Amino acid sequence: MARQLAYHQIHEIFARFQAVEPEPKGELEHVNAFTLLVAVALSAQATDAGVNKATRALFANVDTPEKMLALGEEGLTEHIRTIGLYRQKARNVIRLSQILVESYGGEVPSSRAALQSLPGVGRKTANVVLSMWFQHPAQAVDTHVFRVGNRTGIAPGRDVDQVERAIEDHVPAPFQKHAHHWLILHGRYICVARKPKCGICPINDLCLFEEKTL
């Protein structure tokens, strides 16, 4: 497991991230809390670009759980069949739409426990919705965040839960709101899996990764 950076080093890293991108945004297209929830649920084992391509026309007309129920499972399947595991995801979206209508008045709840009780919604999905829509300092750990957290020493952990806790424990409070977005973007575009772009990395001098590419 990677070593842990010191507090002042982590503070400097996120200060640099903030200087480059003061208000980082998620890349999944959505128009409200419901479409964000659906988009994140669909993004499991799929790219954001692929999800956006499939949902652009869908969300233009179907932006509430009531409209999703009216569309039905087969109608939804036609929109998302280019996304991996689309049949199971369609079933989950229809079921979670039904629950939102019956139990939450058609609104997306702002509780992690309530979100995680919905079909197809795990902790990562719940944290993305809490962070992006409700502005909670929730840390969604995907493959990019896990890789960057361990490689750099910002948030080392053997599993996603440990990395999530490490971010909560070690990232200074002023940066908690956008922490996972900065880490995702860094992992997606610079600290990539196979050949990290260490030569253009803004935190190269602080990172603990021993196999840096120059």
Side-chain angles (χ1 to χ4, degrees):
M1 190 165 67
R3 293 172 293 154
Q4 175 73 58
L5 285 168
Y7 177 87
H8 73 277
Q9 294 172 308
I10 296 174
H11 190 285
E12 175 61 23
I13 283 173
F14 282 94
R16 294 181 192 181
F17 286 159
Q18 186 178 57
V20 174
E21 186 68 66
E23 291 288 331
K25 305 294 183 186
E27 297 183 335
L28 285 171
E29 296 174 8
H30 59 281
V31 298
N32 55 23
F34 174 69
T35 53
L36 174 61
L37 174 63
V38 172
V40 180
L42 293 177
S43 71
Q45 299 182 49
T47 65
D48 288 0
V51 173
N52 290 339
K53 185 176 180 181
T55 59
R56 206 163 283 139
L58 173 68
F59 291 161
N61 299 299
V62 181
D63 58 0
T64 67
E66 292 85 356
K67 291 178 183 177
M68 189 65 75
L69 291 174
L71 177 66
E73 187 175 324
E74 287 305 312
L76 175 57
T77 298
E78 287 304 309
H79 280 278
I80 66 169
R81 62 171 59 250
T82 56
I83 300 174
L85 306 175
Y86 67 93
R87 291 194 184 280
Q88 182 60 50
K89 290 176 180 178
R91 282 193 290 272
N92 286 338
V93 169
I94 295 300
R95 287 169 58 210
L96 73 81
S97 297
Q98 187 76 46
I99 293 169
L100 290 177
V101 170
E102 292 177 351
S103 302
Y104 299 100
E107 299 294 323
V108 175
S110 59
S111 152
R112 181 185 284 116
L115 286 168
Q116 285 190 246
S117 72
L118 298 172
V121 179
R123 187 177 181 88
K124 185 184 79 172
T125 297
N127 281 349
V128 172
V129 174
L130 290 173
S131 172
M132 289 181 63
W133 191 260
F134 295 106
Q135 305 298 302
H136 294 183
Q139 307 303 335
V141 179
D142 67 356
T143 55
H144 298 301
V145 175
F146 186 82
R147 179 174 66 254
V148 173
N150 277 288
R151 263 187 187 169
T152 61
I154 293 171
R158 287 185 296 273
D159 55 40
V160 293
D161 292 336
Q162 286 190 353
V163 171
E164 180 181 334
R165 285 195 297 273
I167 295 172
E168 293 172 345
D169 290 345
H170 299 291
V171 174
F175 304 118
Q176 284 282 333
K177 177 181 175 183
H178 294 309
H180 93 273
H181 272 135
W182 281 316
L183 293 170
I184 287 171
L185 292 173
H186 190 65
R188 185 172 287 164
Y189 297 111
I190 294 179
C191 195
V192 295
R194 292 183 180 273
K195 292 184 179 179
K197 302 172 184 177
C198 302
I200 62 169
C201 175
I203 64 167
N204 187 315
D205 58 314
L206 297 166
C207 169
L208 296 178
F209 186 47
E210 296 179 353
E211 301 171 34
K212 289 185 176 128
T213 60
L214 300 175

